[in-house]
Amino acid sequence: QLQLQESGSGLVKPSETLSLTCTVSGASIGDSAYYWGWIRQPPGKGLEWIGVIYYRGNTIYNPSLNSRVTISVDTSNNHFSLKLTSVSAADSGVYYCVRRATRPEYFDSWGQGILVTVSS
Amino acid sequence: AIQMTQSPSSLSASVGDRVTITCRASQGIKNDLGWYQQKPGKAPKVLIYAASRLQSGVPSRFSGSGSGTDFTLTISSLQPEDFATYYCLQDYSYPLTFGGGTNVEI
């Protein structure tokens, strides 16, 4: 059974870098039928797509975050990661890692989410 | 970026009611639209993808329709476990964009 599990620091200081990892079990990140990605949700607000990565390392990012975000993949350890630099309070919220099916494309699996708070 | 306008933002309904939620795209997105349900404190889960395809395991009381710019999620007979927030997501082009959400409450 597919499971996605987020991990990382739940508290980040303003201007520093948010770092999260998503560990995948029950499926291979190297499966060419899927992308892997991140979505976030500020407290009490809606969902925002951050970006996706293919197992070969191809990435697509939300232009609103483009200059600050990096998603990377580690196929040997079956996980992928998110780094967001120069964070501010506006980056606080729950971060979800997701699997994106292709043909057709949609997010078919979600991690439980991890709450990240940006505060000094 | 394609803007997704979802309505209503909230609605009150009773068990057994037929509920309809709409999503309008700022430009045509063919049938590249999904519907997601989120309960408090939980991750969203997909209900419908490609506008009308029911995700495996999702009850048949959920259905989706539409193409181009106008889409609808229908719950034929609302059940207690359906009280949640629903989001549409356009899968047509990057950046992917969500609707603002519809909170379905009692």
Side-chain angles (χ1 to χ4, degrees), chain A residues 17-93:
Chain A
T17 297
L18 178 159
S19 296
L20 299 175
T21 295
C22 182
T23 300
V24 178
S25 57
S28 171
I29 280 187
D31 188 334
S32 60
Y34 299 97
Y35 284 81
W36 307 87
W38 295 91
I39 291 169
R40 70 179 183 178
Q41 184 170 37
K45 296 188 177 181
L47 300 163
E48 180 182 29
W49 170 74
I50 297 172
V52 291
I53 190 165
Y54 198 49
Y55 76 97
R56 292 176 178 171
N58 316 62
T59 53
I60 308 173
Y61 299 136
N62 191 325
S64 68
L65 302 168
N66 199 31
S67 61
R68 299 195 293 131
V69 66
T70 302
I71 299 175
S72 58
V73 64
D74 182 345
T75 54
S76 59
N77 290 302
N78 219 42
H79 68 232
F80 60 102
S81 300
L82 169 70
K83 289 190 186 301
L84 185 65
T85 62
S86 304
V87 298
S88 68
D91 295 309
S92 294

Side-chain angles (χ1 to χ4, degrees), chain B residues 42-64:
Chain B
K42 299 294 186 182
K45 73 167 193 175
V46 63
L47 301 174
I48 302 286
Y49 64 95
S52 61
R53 298 193 195 184
L54 191 68
Q55 174 72 345
S56 175
V58 174
S60 59
R61 62 180 179 273
F62 291 95
S63 64

